[in-house]
Amino acid sequence: MLSDVSIPRTRFRAQRIARFTESVIREMTRLAVRHQAINLAQGFPDFPAPASLKQAAHDAIDADINQYAITWGAKPFRDAIAAKYRRTYALELDPEREITVCCGATEGMVASLLAILDPGDEVVLFEPFYENYGPDTQLCGAQPRYVQLRAPDWSFDPDQLRRAFTPRTKAIILNSPNNPTGKVFTRDELSYIAGLCQEFDALAITDEIYEHILYDGAVHVPIATLPGMRERSILINSMSKTYSVTGWRVGWVLAPPDLTDSIRKVHDFLTVGAAAPLQQAGVYALGQSDDYYRHLAGEYQGRRDFLLQALQEAGFQCFIPRGAYYVMTDISGLGFASDEAFVQHLISKVGVAAVPGSSFYSQKGGGLQQVRFCFCKKYETLESAGHRLRKVNVTAP
Ligand code: GLN
């Protein structure tokens, strides 16, 4: 029996979530299931995780690594994280004082923001942005200040960025390689951002989960490696995308000791800790050689090119991604009034799910002719989607 909720209940809805809307990305997944559409909306692989990694998780469970790990992360996993950053970026981290293992990058971001932001603080965000960052900021009572990334190359206006920084700015959130645009911020762009962080005494909070998914020679530079930025950076990452285990929910936050101290406190009370056996499997994952990462990027480059061709043949204008596993498209050639009307049509009539571009924008009217597709899927999934997408024009109202 459903409880009676006909009496006014707003008294029980906290102000901090009053402006929350449902996650559009996850809503699209539900719609895809309902209409049996091919899901190119939510970014998760539909192919198996690496067999040896699954075996490492089995082994950890069999070895009875089944109780709480240390709240900020099992020691062998933190050591593996430190070793990987030393190897990849020559970044030296103290596993005892600068690493916090979290339940995915999502928790890493919330825990970090809750640890540093007070109500009234401001956070600079590039737009379009991954939809979590807005609500994350609101949970802290902080104010987002948006700066446009402009199609087709998703560059930003340095003056607009500078104007977004104020004495109340505590941080900028930076996601590179970027979801949803596929932009990879260049060293010059990062240096400019670093300069503003230093001038305004702000932190750079970076979501780097697509760090190894790069195309056409693009290079990922963690802003923490730039001069003067080590003590101003909170670097967030996870196993999800690099090792194709988005459901494991194992991520980490790298930050200087004083910030780590605050982040660990929030993390401890939020979740106690990430799954212990999966952290043990993470020791195996993070020990992979460069070949693994080269192969990963090569695989995704093939899938990117495959989807780009299918979309272009179907009449989409595509912004070619240099990283991550999404293609942002412009649908203005297809004759729909809005991205939402288009996606509704795409899911129910064409049988392919995608994400309406407006969900990546704060201002009304943003992304109204943009739609995001993901390509972290089996070739056969992409092929079937390609066949269906060819009907887009024919079925248009
Ligand atoms: N990062 C993925 C995406 O953008 C998954 C989002 C989610 O549901 N957490 O599609």
Side-chain angles (χ1 to χ4, degrees):
M1 195 181 74
L2 291 174
S3 58
D4 177 12
V5 289
S6 57
I7 50 171
R9 305 280 283 184
T10 46
R11 183 170 125 69
F12 301 121
R13 196 185 62 202
Q15 277 308 310
R16 74 175 73 84
I17 63 127
R19 285 185 297 136
F20 274 30
T21 48
E22 189 188 13
S23 154
V24 177
I25 296 176
R26 293 183 277 284
E27 185 192 350
M28 291 306 123
T29 287
R30 284 193 290 278
L31 282 178
V33 172
R34 188 183 315 151
H35 291 276
Q36 295 180 332
I38 297 169
N39 189 357
L40 301 190
Q42 197 177 16
F44 63 89
D46 68 347
F47 46 80
S52 52
L53 178 56
K54 290 191 284 192
Q55 190 58 50
H58 283 269
D59 291 348
I61 290 174
D62 288 342
D64 244 322
I65 304 182
N66 293 314
Q67 309 307 327
Y68 302 124
I70 293 172
T71 175
W72 48 79
K75 172 85 166 103
F77 188 45
R78 280 180 286 122
D79 288 345
I81 293 169
K84 179 169 187 298
Y85 280 85
R86 182 178 310 121
R87 216 168 49 234
T88 316
Y89 302 111
L91 201 54
E92 288 294 335
L93 294 156
D94 179 353
E96 297 310 324
R97 300 189 310 148
E98 296 186 297
I99 300 179
T100 309
V101 176
C102 291
C103 299
T106 298
E107 194 231 331
M109 182 62 75
V110 177
S112 299
L113 295 179
L114 285 169
I116 63 160
L117 295 177
D118 282 317
D121 286 343
E122 291 179 2
V123 178
V124 177
L125 283 173
F126 286 107
E127 178 171 64
F129 56 90
Y130 173 53
E131 60 178 6
N132 280 33
Y133 306 147
D136 286 352
T137 311
Q138 286 169 32
L139 274 178
C140 304
Q143 204 53 40
R145 307 257 306 191
Y146 296 98
V147 175
Q148 270 63 52
L149 294 175
R150 303 162 305 187
D153 60 352
W154 307 108
S155 58
F156 59 86
D157 172 0
D159 295 329
Q160 195 199 357
L161 181 61
R162 158 169 273 286
R163 283 195 302 275
F165 277 76
T166 76
R168 300 163 84 117
T169 305
K170 245 198 199 145
I172 179 168
I173 295 179
L174 193 65
N175 170 219
S176 180
N178 183 256
N179 175 8
T181 65
K183 175 186 173 70
V184 178
F185 283 71
T186 64
R187 188 178 284 273
D188 282 351
E189 288 174 325
L190 294 171
S191 296
Y192 182 76
I193 295 167
L196 290 175
C197 288
Q198 287 162 21
E199 186 182 333
F200 287 87
D201 193 16
L203 300 173
I205 306 179
T206 63
D207 176 345
E208 305 189 14
I209 58 166
Y210 301 100
E211 66 171 330
H212 290 294
I213 305 179
L214 297 163
Y215 314 114
D216 308 327
V219 175
H220 172 65
V221 180
I223 203 169
T225 60
L226 297 188
M229 286 307 287
R230 180 74 165 74
E231 66 265 30
R232 294 196 167 276
S233 299
I234 298 180
L235 189 164
I236 299 170
N237 207 327
S238 93
M239 291 180 67
S240 290
K241 314 288 180 178
T242 306
Y243 307 104
S244 304
V245 286
T246 61
W248 281 19
R249 316 310 302 136
V250 178
W252 54 87
V253 181
L254 315 179
D258 58 334
L259 301 179
T260 293
D261 199 42
S262 311
I263 294 164
R264 284 180 173 182
K265 284 181 191 144
V266 179
H267 158 73
D268 189 6
F269 289 115
L270 274 181
T271 62
V272 179
L278 303 183
Q279 293 188 48
Q280 185 59 32
V283 175
Y284 168 78
L286 271 73
Q288 294 299 299
S289 69
D290 291 349
D291 273 355
Y292 174 86
Y293 304 104
R294 254 195 304 275
H295 179 75
L296 179 81
E299 267 297 313
Y300 277 131
Q301 180 146 343
R303 287 164 217 260
R304 176 197 69 163
D305 294 344
F306 188 92
L307 182 66
L308 279 173
Q309 190 174 346
L311 288 167
Q312 279 158 352
E313 280 171 17
F316 292 85
Q317 189 204 323
C318 298
F319 303 109
I320 298 174
R322 304 198 67 224
Y325 47 44
Y326 309 97
V327 180
M328 193 67 144
T329 63
D330 185 316
I331 57 162
S332 35
L334 293 166
F336 283 79
S338 76
D339 58 329
E340 284 179 9
F342 175 78
V343 168
Q344 188 66 43
H345 168 80
L346 196 67
I347 295 178
S348 59
K349 299 286 189 317
V350 180
V352 176
V355 183
S358 55
S359 65
F360 302 103
Y361 288 83
S362 65
Q363 96 269 26
K364 222 171 151 44
L368 267 188
Q369 289 292 317
Q370 292 175 354
V371 170
R372 189 198 80 172
F373 292 84
C374 73
F375 53 85
C376 47
K377 304 291 171 187
K378 293 183 220 152
Y379 273 107
E380 60 188 87
T381 309
L382 298 175
E383 253 166 52
S384 312
H387 283 303
R388 293 184 181 191
L389 285 168
R390 284 201 194 92
K391 294 185 301 194
V392 160
N393 266 321
V394 194
T395 53

